[in-house]
Amino acid sequence: MVKYKTSEDNVTIEIGKYLKETKLNYTLQREIQNRAISDSLMNNPSKSGGSGGGIPDAFFTITHENETWFGFIENKSGKSNMSKFDKDGFIANHKKDGNLNHQTIGKFAVNGAAYYAKNAFKDTEYKHYFVIGACGYEEYSQYMVDVDVYIITPETGGEPLKYKSFTNLSFLNPENIDATIKEVEKVHLTPEQQDILRSNSEASVDSALTDLNQKMRDDFDIDAKWRINIIVAMILAGLGDKNNRVAPLKIEQLTGSIENDNTDADIILRKIRNLLEIKSLPLAKREQIAGEIERTIKYNNEGINQISTSGETVLRTLFREIKDKILPFVENKMLDFAGTVYNKVTDWMPLADDEANDVVLTPRYVIDFMVKLARVDRNSYVWDFALGSGGFLISSMNAMLKDAKENITNPDKLRNKEKHIKEKQLLGIEKRSDVQMLAILNMFLVGDGSSNILNKDSLANFNGNYAYPNDTEKFPANVFLLNPPYSADGNGMVFVHRALSMMKPGYAAVIIQDSAGSGKATAYNTDILKESTLIASIKMPVDIFGGKSSVQTSIYVFQVGQKHNVDQIVKFIDFRDDGYKRANRRKADKSVNLRNVNNATERYEEVVKYVVYGNKPTLLDYEESKINPADGNDWNFEKHKNIDTKPTEADFRKTVADYLAWEVSQVIKDENFEVNAPKK
């Protein structure tokens, strides 16, 4: 029987030898010199859950082709202390209730290293990490060390994914490092893993928001109209700046002081104002955001700035809840965080009856799909007249930045273009001020294109101008993206009519209740076709919104600025089978599990290639037909589906087979049939 060592000392000695051979910049059980990483360690609890942070057993740095990689190593004694996983195969550092499991983090080598690296990934601008667990043990009178290596990068979604197992660190030696980096850069999440992480994150955020809402409503009597602003304020204060120009707010900084200009509300406001200032937003925009938050946490809800029965201010209680249970998900790149919050808080929003079915989040994969259909590139000027959480603008901005990076080689020109995209090429309008704050947060998180997000009624008081820095300059929109309120005139086509009439030549993609194309919006539709061309109509799955709103929708794609010709061929696509299966979870958890069951990725790509480039599909049911521009009620797939009534030989064979099967079933059912006759 193998006798395992009880001390980690031998493991540490061996790892020290291995690191010396790598010739890397490393430390052993000493304070880390990188300020950002060191601050991350100090600002998070230790592995055991105590304050004051922690120090990894070993830490190293690699610079490769202008990219900095950091490595965290944790040592343990005994094979069984290498790692612990959850039911989905990911490193398990949380309990079922979402709280950190410090017992597991402290016990297992990979889990401890992953804890440090995930915090650094979250807290700093650095996004590439080696997560290494080393376990030493005695076997056959020899001392052995097993080394398990995991990788954290944006491609892993910030989760540690397994690279390889070794018995030393020679994969980091100078002669091997190039090959190692090339290999680990290929480590990425599978679509199935992405789905699991996204669903788990949505469920965690959903649960945390449910608890938070109950506290704000039942314990602190905060009106629903203020709750989104409170969430936004806490998130902004808790984020800080990745370059350490503004440190994240710490819980202990909220002292409950009643001193003028030094209350908890004042401290939060100062943090937010400092953060907005370094983001170089226009002064008027900064004042709008800060002013809205100030009204919420300082003047209109004075009670939340006072000591409660718990012995601390309500603000501090709420900040702790958000910091522990919501902030860890804020910058999850796979999760449309603000969109998830938006979908959840619609349950608390005070809505008029006719708005009740309008507040529905467009799934991110549908948003990305529509951005491609509208041909967004680096030169697009994109607007949305019913912004919601800002998903269409975020997806557009990402597509524009990607196109710029692929086509502009001069670094200075690229930086200027990226700045111009964020500041001048995006505009969104949201009627509700609380939802506007959520959209601003969303754009802020992705870096920041929130300058021209307007709190206006796009049908009543928007004149087509920028908001900042010059509100007399026209926004030269050439792309329109929209999921409108279906209760508005023409099932929402009133928004499409207005936006397209104000645009320059370009493209538009709109997901809308498809009754708008079959008679509910004929006046708007016929008018639209006087200046724009319907180029495609895509009938979407009825459960596209995840069961919250079971409504039949279609995506209409327009070429803006060109009158629809009566001879124009329109592409009609039946996309009700898009390849995804959507299964609602239990009633208490409204997140949706999306599974690719029938070539979903390929199907979406085929639609884009067909609509944009004319490539004939092989996986889709489609028709090519004309519409009458003077009717406005023939925009949907069903109107153009060709049904061939002429029977084929295959039809005849099937009919005969069905009849014979029926005859046999009747014989079997006959009580006098010998096989079934009762025994004598």
Side-chain angles (χ1 to χ4, degrees), residues 10-29:
N10 287 340
V11 194
T12 302
I13 291 170
E14 292 299 310
I15 290 297
K17 292 178 183 176
Y18 299 156
L19 281 170
K20 188 174 182 180
E21 293 173 2
T22 68
K23 297 181 171 56
L24 295 173
N25 180 16
Y26 70 91
T27 61
L28 291 173
Q29 296 179 330

Side-chain angles (χ1 to χ4, degrees), residues 18-146:
Y18 299 156
L19 281 170
K20 188 174 182 180
E21 293 173 2
T22 68
K23 297 181 171 56
L24 295 173
N25 180 16
Y26 70 91
T27 61
L28 291 173
Q29 296 179 330
R30 293 202 310 273
E31 185 177 343
I32 293 170
Q33 297 305 307
N34 182 284
R35 174 67 182 276
I37 302 292
S38 178
D39 284 349
S40 174
L41 290 169
M42 294 304 296
N43 291 333
N44 288 285
S46 66
K47 288 185 301 181
S48 61
S51 60
I55 296 176
D57 291 333
F59 174 82
F60 62 85
T61 306
I62 298 172
T63 300
H64 184 265
E65 295 183 357
N66 298 320
E67 189 69 68
T68 302
W69 290 74
F70 296 100
F72 289 92
I73 303 178
E74 282 295 300
N75 308 323
K76 294 295 174 187
S77 179
K79 277 186 174 183
S80 62
N81 293 324
M82 179 64 82
S83 53
K84 184 175 181 180
F85 305 94
D86 62 21
K87 61 181 177 59
D88 297 314
F90 294 102
I91 296 298
N93 279 354
H94 288 83
K95 301 176 184 176
K96 289 183 178 180
D97 62 4
N99 291 318
L100 285 167
N101 189 338
H102 287 287
Q103 183 176 0
T104 298
I105 293 169
K107 180 178 180 180
F108 296 96
V110 172
N111 295 66
Y115 174 68
Y116 290 138
K118 285 188 70 172
N119 283 337
F121 181 90
K122 168 178 65 72
D123 295 339
T124 75
E125 63 181 324
Y126 304 114
K127 299 302 177 188
H128 294 79
Y129 296 89
F130 284 90
V131 174
I132 300 176
C135 286
Y137 55 96
E138 189 177 326
E139 191 169 74
Y140 305 118
S141 301
Q142 288 188 325
Y143 193 75
M144 312 287 290
V145 177
D146 288 344

Side-chain angles (χ1 to χ4, degrees), residues 552-571:
Q552 186 60 67
T553 58
S554 290
I555 293 175
Y556 300 137
V557 183
F558 302 92
Q559 183 174 357
V560 182
Q562 180 172 306
K563 179 181 178 180
H564 191 103
N565 190 288
V566 69
D567 291 322
Q568 171 72 37
I569 298 297
V570 181
K571 300 176 176 74

Side-chain angles (χ1 to χ4, degrees), residues 480-491:
F480 179 58
L481 294 159
L482 183 74
N483 177 6
Y486 301 154
S487 63
D489 287 352
N491 289 144

